[in-house]
Amino acid sequence: MGAIDNTHVPTNVPVEIQGKFRGRKEGTTQNILTAIIFYLKFIYILAGWEGSAPDSWVLGDALSRPNGLKIPEGI
């Protein structure tokens, strides 16, 4: 495993759910988790979490999905 990181990407969502998608900064964002290996190849991407979601929730979701993020043994 090279790195796991969450990033916030600006997004447009319906007015009635904008509160959930408000991040720490101005505007609405989507929280996206990515994992890459050492030579910068993406091995996992999870998009769709609202900007206000804690990173630990997004990581927990990625690890709990049937085809989710798999951490190699010994890492």
Side-chain angles (χ1 to χ4, degrees):
M1 185 77 55
I4 298 174
D5 190 28
N6 280 55
T7 188
H8 289 261
V9 176
T11 188
N12 293 316
V13 294
V15 173
E16 54 273 3
I17 61 171
Q18 281 185 356
K20 292 181 181 181
F21 286 82
R22 293 227 180 270
R24 294 179 295 271
K25 298 182 180 176
E26 192 173 316
T28 54
T29 63
Q30 189 176 112
N31 199 337
I32 299 175
L33 179 134
T34 60
I36 61 170
I37 53 180
F38 289 108
Y39 47 91
L40 303 179
K41 179 180 177 186
F42 284 90
I43 59 168
Y44 188 79
I45 298 173
L46 175 63
W49 272 87
E50 59 269 12
S52 61
D55 292 347
S56 61
W57 293 5
V58 181
L59 178 59
D61 182 35
L63 293 170
S64 69
R65 291 175 176 243
N67 291 322
L69 177 63
K70 304 292 186 251
I71 306 293
E73 232 175 277
I75 301 291

